[in-house]
Amino acid sequence: MCGIIGIKSCVDISTKIIEKLKILEYRGYDSAGVSYLKDKLYCKKSVGKVDKLAKKIDCHFDIGIAHTRWATHGKPTLHNCHPFLSSDKNVAIVHNGIISNYIQIKNELSNKNVVFDSETDSEVIAKLFDNKTLTIDSIRKVCQKLNGSYAIVGLTATGILFGAKKGSPLYFAQNKDEFLIASDIACFEDADSFFTLQDGEYVIVDKKVQFFDDEKIIEKISTQLDFDKYKYAKTHENFMIQEILQTPTLVKRYLLNQQKLNINKYKNVYLFGCGSAYHCAKIGEHYLRQLNKNCKAIVASEIGEEKCDFDNALCIFLSQSGETIDTLNALSLCKGKATTVALINNEFSTLARECDIIVPINAQKEFSVASTKAVTMMIVAMLCWIKEQSYNDYKKVFNINENVLKELANKLYNNESLFFVGKGIDHIINCEGALKVKEIAYINANAYLSGELKHGPLALIDEKAYVIVSCSQKRFVDKTKSTICEIKARGGKIVLFTPFLSLIEALDNEDYSVLLPNITSELVPISALYSYQLLSYYICKNRGLNPDFPRNLAKSVTVE
Ligand code: F6R
């Protein structure tokens, strides 16, 4: 969370740095700030999105650093905005991560009469810079005092740009006479050479560019990047709808180049993920049990509560960003004990670097905070491990009548709560549907197992309730009929997602239905998922909200 960038150039970058900061906005959008060098270091800050900051920039500059914030320590107020300045105002820094010992450092510095202007953990980094001249040793000295995680970009009043990394992502790129340090590859579209900084590495851009580790100067080799994969181009009103609608093409492309994984040869298989990626892990568990009975999905942050048997084990880590700290923590507990696999959308992520095997889902960059195409692609990738998938089978998966979903959204958007009910795999897809509605439309949506309704949740159903019931499997049809009766007897209205006409025909006029395509039973859940993504998008739009930037969230969750 939080996006940071620094640019050193010989031409004006005042517009460019703001454009690049906008690319990073998906990492947090509570406030934004920039520091640049003219006769001295200046800071401009604003609460809210980068557009507001852009209005405050009224001069040209050729070197600067900038930050877009997802608040952790201290509210999203002006005084908590980055960048922060050292006490002598000779160094400005922006930070992504969490400094876990900041209170101790703050107390030590306060005792030496250092004055703090913010409640953030990050400000201590700036205030630790107390040398007149900046050298690699003074940067190392500051970093050695920090516990926790950080990606830092700094700028000095003498025109030195520098970066330091531990835990949070940081990349460096050069384009002719321009140098960039940033949290995301997406900022480097026009770069000639590109470098990934590893934990404990530093880059200093002064008269020349130099890389260091904790002891010495190091040589780094530039990586070739296919920037098309990371390109930032908005072709629709919002990224979310653009990304949902990209899914069929991505699936088609992926199926031409399916990556196998031999699940059978392992005694135990564990799948780890957070949020939507955990739902994918649950779906993976459901499908992969066809090959290996000892398959279990675990919420990454709960690994400490689970007893994993690492004997001949395969641990699969699912993550769109590859930077989710809870997933990385789970990985660190499995590393060396089991074979590790990263099922990811970011091949340059920490997860990709740290796992034994990488399975890229090739979903291209996902900007919208709510994950959609990446979720679907993770499921498709896992289905390829069970058996070769044929595009013929997928042709109808995305044949959903969008107008029906738009009309439905019109009916549902004013509700304060929404129920999702289903069995087995449908329940898992419902959990994901409910999460999407919650996160972008702020409706209290919850998924319940149909068999569990009568053990409690039915008390919530009355004439005002809309209940999304899904039935993707033929063997669930009879049970679903009973579920529908139970709900209707309490006055609830049904919104049915199913490919089975017999179920739809049994509904009343006041109920609604979305006909899912008549395809193989293992693929119907993907159609339901796709429909839920579209439905949540239209509900969100009806409520007048921006689906790309839901409140309180950020795309890359790099804090515990
Ligand atoms: C929901 C969503 C989050 C992420 C979760 C894990 O739409 O996007 O729940 O799925 O934060 O993120 P990654 O996949 O980057 O590890």
Side-chain angles (χ1 to χ4, degrees):
M1 353 258 306
C2 298
I4 59 175
I5 182 156
I7 307 180
K8 180 172 173 148
S9 183
C10 44
V11 294
D12 173 38
I13 55 149
S14 56
T15 309
K16 186 178 231 174
I17 201 162
I18 293 295
E19 278 167 9
K20 302 272 184 203
L21 197 60
K22 276 193 189 165
I23 296 176
L24 296 173
E25 206 166 27
Y26 74 92
R27 301 179 66 86
Y29 32 87
D30 292 332
S31 63
V34 62
S35 180
Y36 53 86
L37 180 62
K38 299 283 283 180
D39 54 316
K40 59 174 187 166
L41 288 174
Y42 291 85
C43 284
K44 293 276 164 79
K45 306 181 178 190
S46 80
V47 174
K49 294 186 66 196
V50 175
D51 274 336
K52 280 178 80 182
L53 174 69
K55 292 192 182 116
K56 291 192 169 173
I57 314 280
D58 52 6
C59 65
H60 298 308
F61 51 90
D62 57 17
I63 181 165
I65 58 174
H67 185 271
T68 178
R69 180 169 186 243
W70 187 83
T72 56
H73 294 67
K75 290 198 170 127
T77 55
L78 209 55
H79 66 275
N80 287 333
C81 275
H82 297 221
F84 293 108
L85 288 171
S86 58
S87 298
D88 62 7
K89 305 204 177 348
N90 279 327
V91 181
I93 66 99
V94 286
H95 164 232
N96 166 215
I98 289 199
I99 305 304
S100 50
N101 58 338
Y102 81 103
I103 293 182
Q104 185 198 329
I105 299 176
K106 205 166 176 172
N107 288 340
E108 281 167 19
L109 292 176
S110 299
N111 287 339
K112 292 181 190 159
N113 299 324
V114 173
V115 179
F116 287 86
D117 300 317
S118 78
E119 299 136 20
T120 66
D121 54 333
S122 310
E123 192 183 1
V124 298
I125 305 172
K127 295 297 190 278
L128 281 169
F129 281 98
D130 55 3
N131 292 52
K132 280 266 166 298
T133 47
L134 184 114
T135 59
I136 178 60
D137 285 334
S138 56
I139 303 172
R140 279 190 191 123
K141 214 171 117 200
V142 168
C143 290
Q144 277 154 10
K145 291 195 174 129
L146 307 174
N147 293 340
S149 63
Y150 54 79
I152 301 165
V153 180
L155 172 63
T156 70
T158 52
I160 299 171
L161 183 69
F162 63 92
K165 172 191 152 44
K166 190 185 124 197
S168 308
L170 201 61
Y171 306 93
F172 172 78
Q174 184 169 354
N175 182 24
K176 296 188 189 75
D177 291 336
E178 195 158 279
F179 306 92
L180 295 95
I181 310 173
S183 320
D184 194 310
I185 298 165
C187 292
F188 302 142
E189 210 188 310
D190 42 9
D192 297 329
S193 56
F194 161 79
F195 303 83
T196 303
L197 290 189
Q198 309 291 352
D199 282 354
E201 288 185 352
Y202 307 84
V203 58
I204 298 186
V205 188
D206 191 2
K207 302 228 166 9
K208 55 186 175 183
V209 178
Q210 286 184 305
F211 296 101
F212 301 86
D213 65 13
D214 271 331
E215 286 159 6
K216 57 189 180 311
I217 192 161
I218 52 169
E219 284 282 324
K220 277 186 83 76
I221 314 246
S222 156
T223 315
Q224 282 299 319
L225 260 192
D226 172 7
F227 281 105
D228 280 351
K229 272 193 183 171
Y230 304 94
K231 258 196 187 136
Y232 168 86
K234 198 167 170 187
T235 53
H236 290 63
E237 187 189 352
N238 303 101
F239 278 112
M240 185 175 177
I241 189 69
Q242 177 175 329
E243 288 162 0
I244 297 172
L245 297 177
Q246 273 172 0
T247 314
T249 314
L250 294 170
V251 171
K252 188 174 180 184
R253 208 175 296 163
Y254 190 87
L255 295 184
L256 292 173
N257 208 352
Q258 304 177 26
Q259 188 170 336
K260 297 270 162 267
L261 189 69
N262 190 351
I263 304 286
N264 276 328
K265 71 174 188 188
Y266 298 94
K267 187 172 145 210
N268 301 296
V269 178
Y270 297 102
L271 298 118
F272 298 93
C274 304
S276 294
Y278 168 68
H279 294 148
C280 292
K282 280 299 284 179
I283 293 162
E285 172 193 277
H286 176 92
Y287 284 130
L288 298 178
R289 276 190 178 163
Q290 291 175 26
L291 299 176
N292 189 323
K293 291 270 172 262
N294 294 329
C295 190
K296 189 167 188 218
I298 298 172
V299 175
S301 56
E302 288 293 296
I303 187 170
E305 304 305 309
E306 296 284 339
K307 282 206 166 28
C308 296
D309 175 1
F310 288 119
D311 182 26
N312 189 18
L314 180 71
C315 292
I316 304 168
F317 300 86
L318 295 88
S319 175
Q320 188 284 128
S321 63
E323 297 294 349
T324 302
I325 195 80
D326 289 332
T327 310
L328 291 173
N329 287 345
L331 168 65
S332 67
L333 292 173
C334 302
K335 249 186 106 133
K337 300 177 190 152
T339 303
T340 54
V341 179
L343 181 61
I344 36 153
N345 198 29
N346 181 358
E347 288 161 71
F348 290 92
S349 58
T350 311
L351 201 61
R353 275 198 303 279
E354 299 287 321
C355 281
D356 302 321
I357 301 169
I358 305 175
V359 181
I361 56 169
N362 297 333
Q364 297 177 334
K365 184 80 191 166
E366 191 178 65
F367 275 96
S368 168
V369 166
S371 191
T372 54
K373 59 177 180 174
V375 171
T376 313
M377 292 307 295
M378 280 182 191
I379 299 169
V380 172
M382 289 188 286
L383 281 170
C384 294
W385 301 342
I386 302 175
K387 68 170 171 40
E388 178 98 9
Q389 300 289 300
S390 142
Y391 179 62
N392 263 344
D393 296 334
Y394 279 79
K395 269 189 181 145
K396 289 196 210 147
V397 169
F398 304 102
N399 279 356
I400 306 290
N401 187 336
E402 244 184 283
N403 288 331
V404 172
L405 295 172
K406 281 183 194 164
E407 278 168 35
L408 200 52
N410 265 329
K411 290 273 172 244
L412 300 179
Y413 81 97
N414 251 335
N415 287 284
E416 275 164 28
S417 56
L418 205 53
F419 303 86
F420 285 72
V421 172
K423 274 184 78 60
I425 179 94
D426 292 336
H427 174 63
I428 312 171
I429 300 284
N430 284 350
C431 289
E432 176 58 12
L435 178 67
K436 287 285 104 90
V437 172
K438 244 183 283 211
E439 90 176 296
I440 61 165
Y442 317 150
I443 292 176
N444 189 2
N446 289 296
Y448 300 99
L449 280 162
S450 44
E452 285 291 289
L453 265 191
K454 52 193 171 296
H455 300 292
L458 210 47
L460 295 170
I461 306 293
D462 59 16
E463 294 75 22
K464 288 193 269 91
Y466 280 89
V467 184
I468 294 180
V469 178
S470 67
C471 175
S472 69
Q473 311 294 309
K474 204 166 176 72
R475 65 181 193 282
F476 295 163
V477 166
D478 287 342
K479 287 243 160 64
T480 306
K481 275 186 188 151
S482 315
T483 303
I484 291 175
C485 289
E486 285 169 11
I487 296 164
K488 291 192 67 68
R490 274 81 191 173
K493 289 180 208 52
I494 305 293
V495 181
L496 180 63
F497 284 72
T498 189
F500 305 113
L501 285 171
S502 65
L503 268 179
I504 293 181
E505 280 156 9
L507 295 177
D508 292 339
N509 284 344
E510 59 168 18
D511 300 321
Y512 302 88
S513 64
V514 176
L515 183 65
L516 299 178
N518 191 359
I519 45 180
T520 59
S521 61
E522 66 188 15
L523 295 186
V524 185
I526 301 184
S527 292
L529 173 70
Y530 186 71
S531 313
Y532 289 166
Q533 291 172 351
L534 288 166
L535 180 66
S536 59
Y537 173 78
Y538 290 119
I539 292 177
C540 162
K541 293 295 291 173
N542 273 328
R543 286 169 78 91
L545 301 166
N546 181 346
D548 290 343
F549 298 105
R551 70 184 177 203
N552 304 338
L553 301 179
K555 182 79 182 153
S556 192
V557 185
T558 54
V559 292
E560 282 176 40

